Amino acid sequence: MPATHNFSDIFISYSRRNKPFVTKLEQALSQHPTISEVWVDWEDIPESVDWWAEIQAGIEGANTFLFILTPDSARSAVCTREIEHAVKSNKRIVPIIHIDVTEADDQTKIHPAIQRHNWIPFREDDNFEERVNDVIKVIG
């Protein structure tokens, strides 16, 4: 079965260990009137298909690649592949820092495409609603 080419405003790249935060963020973004579609892999990949082809199609079909930066996502080989595909596909990359990457070894694993962009702070103690609005403004 070929990859489905859904078009969306945002593709969210994240570590599965951060799924509770991503679920909350995806719901908030999806409810905003200016956002028509948010692509996340837990609801947009059909059973028994080539998951990587679906991920690639999701990235290619999105206007914005939203990366959730945490120590877990910095270490993730799949997240790195997603970033590289987003770069190759000339996507607008918007990094969100959710959990500080403090370990030196983890810091070296942050992809250069994420390092060179100004990160939107979205930590536990940041105002969630204000940060959602900041994301909406950035993706315009």
Side-chain angles (χ1 to χ4, degrees), residues 5 16 20 31 44-45 61 84 89 97 121 130:
H5 294 277
R16 292 218 183 258
Q31 292 174 1
D44 296 310
I45 299 180
E84 289 172 354
S89 300
I97 178 76
E130 285 180 17

Side-chain angles (χ1 to χ4, degrees), residues 99-137:
I99 300 173
D100 289 322
V101 181
T102 57
E103 298 293 323
D105 188 49
D106 290 341
Q107 290 174 352
T108 66
K109 294 176 183 171
I110 299 172
H111 195 282
I114 301 304
Q115 290 179 353
R116 74 175 153 257
H117 287 86
N118 196 15
W119 304 341
I120 298 174
F122 228 120
R123 296 173 188 92
E124 193 71 33
D125 57 348
D126 287 315
N127 182 299
F128 185 84
E129 290 77 22
E130 285 180 17
R131 295 297 155 197
V132 168
N133 287 332
D134 290 343
V135 172
I136 298 298
K137 287 177 199 171

Side-chain angles (χ1 to χ4, degrees), residues 4-18:
T4 55
H5 294 277
N6 297 327
F7 293 98
S8 62
D9 292 317
I10 303 168
F11 176 97
I12 300 179
S13 177
Y14 68 102
S15 166
R16 292 218 183 258
R17 292 184 178 175
N18 306 122

Side-chain angles (χ1 to χ4, degrees), residues 13-49:
S13 177
Y14 68 102
S15 166
R16 292 218 183 258
R17 292 184 178 175
N18 306 122
K19 188 174 177 181
F21 168 74
V22 174
T23 300
K24 182 178 177 182
L25 179 61
E26 184 269 338
Q27 290 171 350
L29 291 171
S30 294
Q31 292 174 1
H32 197 276
T34 63
I35 303 295
S36 62
E37 180 76 26
V38 178
W39 201 103
V40 286
D41 63 1
W42 66 74
E43 51 184 42
D44 296 310
I45 299 180
E47 300 294 327
S48 76
V49 299

Side-chain angles (χ1 to χ4, degrees), residues 49-61:
V49 299
D50 179 339
W51 67 272
W52 181 243
E54 291 294 319
I55 294 286
Q56 289 176 306
I59 293 169
E60 292 163 9

